Amino acid sequence: MRLLLVNTAAFFIAVLLQVMVAPYIAIGGVSPNFLMITVIIMALVEGPNTGTVLGFVAGLLFDLLGAGPVGPMALVLSITGYIAGLVQENLFAEGWILPVGVIALATFTSEILYMIVILFLGTQTSLASAFFGIVLPSTFYNAVCATIICPILTRALRDNTSSVIFGTLW
């Protein structure tokens, strides 16, 4: 029951950060994706099933909050959450560097996949400008934000009997 409350609170806080903070800390039109960071961290801690479900819900909320088509981010975050959850079993980090690296790699891959889905839906955009103007800055921005969020959220998600995924985080 405690874990369900922590998951719900973390997800709710991520939605609030995405809506209320992210637009105001955008740099060059790129803002951090707090929902993606939260989904990846929760998938790393909880596994692929939780990652897939939370990814779908977070992606659908992200799509509904934005001005673009509804569905692409739900698809992308579902896949991202599932794959990050699979990595969970092989992630035995001594600290925060490896999880943040996984978040950066997952963000990069998710942004590329999102760009491909958007292109298939008929959006006209330059691949080079999307890659250098959105994908790379988003990856960097999410990695920077993950260095702050990852230790806090993983500590809240772990209970005393959980696995030692993040090693000596605290």
Side-chain angles (χ1 to χ4, degrees):
M1 184 62 157
R2 176 196 159 295
L3 194 57
L4 178 64
L5 290 174
V6 171
N7 283 343
T8 305
F11 191 74
F12 182 71
I13 291 169
V15 170
L16 288 178
L17 287 172
Q18 192 66 45
V19 172
M20 300 172 92
V21 176
Y24 297 104
I25 61 172
I27 299 174
V30 175
S31 60
N33 191 336
F34 293 111
L35 290 169
M36 183 182 296
I37 294 168
T38 303
V39 165
I40 295 168
I41 292 171
M42 292 172 109
L44 287 172
V45 174
E46 301 293 325
N49 292 336
T50 301
T52 304
V53 171
L54 287 176
F56 178 77
V57 172
L60 192 59
L61 278 172
F62 188 87
D63 286 336
L64 290 173
L65 292 172
V70 175
M73 189 56 85
L75 171 68
V76 168
L77 283 185
S78 294
I79 294 169
T80 302
Y82 178 75
I83 293 172
L86 291 177
V87 171
Q88 171 243 359
E89 297 191 12
N90 298 319
L91 187 66
F92 300 102
E94 291 293 329
W96 57 271
I97 294 174
L98 188 57
V100 170
V102 169
I103 291 169
L105 181 62
T107 299
F108 179 78
T109 308
S110 297
E111 291 290 341
I112 294 284
L113 184 59
Y114 185 74
M115 185 174 65
I116 291 169
V117 170
I118 290 295
L119 286 174
F120 277 129
L121 291 176
T123 303
Q124 300 296 326
T125 185
S126 166
L127 290 176
S129 66
F131 183 77
F132 291 109
I134 297 172
V135 174
L136 290 180
S138 294
T139 301
F140 180 73
Y141 210 169
N142 277 3
V144 169
C145 290
T147 60
I148 299 166
I149 297 170
C150 188
I152 297 167
L153 186 55
T154 53
R155 182 172 182 152
L157 290 173
R158 290 183 300 161
D159 57 0
N160 294 337
T161 61
S162 69
S163 63
V164 189
I165 293 173
F166 292 99
T168 57
L169 191 57
W170 292 95

